[in-house]
Amino acid sequence: MDKQVIKADVPETGGPFNLCVRYGNQIYISGLPPFEADFAGKLREARAKGAPLPPFPDIPFEQQARIVMDHLKELVEAAGSNMDCLLKVIVWLKDQRQQEEFDRIYRSYFSGTDALPARTRMQAGRTPMDCGLEVEAIGYVP
């Protein structure tokens, strides 16, 4: 078995990691912050120049949660799997008071209650760039 780096239409920031790796039928997805293409491009540019990183834009939490979950779904599908094949998800929220809003959005990405993966959700001391959340996952390819 060879380790495969999985690419999808998910913005990369130029950080020292791959967003998704597949090994055999297992997939590992790095912590995904709610970075859209424009902001990720600014991060890459700043890193390349050794300049200060730009501040995270003021985006409503609901939009941030959808960005993260959409990116997670894109990576899972690019690896040849689907959201129902996630086994473990870890969620870091900047503010635990947003848990109900996050859970409402999160549930909509799975086919039903039985398909939900094991999950840990916690309040982070600090999220990347002070965004609202970060999500990582482990799953399999059926």
Side-chain angles (χ1 to χ4, degrees):
M1 288 187 283
D2 292 323
K3 179 173 94 171
Q4 297 175 300
V5 174
I6 305 299
K7 299 287 185 180
D9 191 25
V10 174
E12 298 197 29
T13 64
F17 56 89
N18 289 303
L19 292 178
C20 183
V21 174
R22 178 176 171 175
Y23 184 76
N25 71 341
Q26 296 291 302
I27 53 176
Y28 302 88
I29 299 157
S30 294
L32 299 172
F35 297 169
E36 294 184 292
D38 182 54
F39 183 69
K42 290 176 183 175
L43 287 173
R44 284 192 309 274
E45 184 179 326
R47 286 182 170 136
K49 293 179 179 178
L53 298 179
F56 182 71
D58 186 20
I59 300 173
F61 179 78
E62 180 176 349
Q63 184 180 345
Q64 291 185 51
R66 290 190 188 285
I67 290 167
V68 169
M69 293 305 295
D70 286 347
H71 289 169
L72 178 61
K73 184 175 188 285
E74 287 178 50
L75 287 164
V76 167
E77 290 175 354
S81 190
N82 64 73
M83 294 293 284
D84 288 350
C85 293
L86 290 179
L87 299 170
K88 175 70 176 179
V89 173
I90 300 173
V91 180
W92 290 274
L93 295 177
K94 182 178 179 180
D95 184 346
Q96 227 15 320
R97 291 174 291 191
Q98 294 173 312
Q99 65 185 349
E100 292 300 320
E101 186 175 8
F102 174 77
D103 285 349
R104 178 181 49 78
I105 293 163
Y106 176 84
R107 282 187 194 100
S108 72
Y109 284 81
F110 299 92
S111 65
T113 318
D114 290 342
L116 292 170
R119 189 183 83 180
T120 301
R121 186 190 60 224
M122 64 192 109
Q123 182 164 316
R126 186 160 184 209
T127 54
M129 310 296 297
D130 290 321
C131 62
L133 73 159
E134 183 173 10
V135 176
E136 75 173 66
I138 298 171
Y140 69 95
V141 178

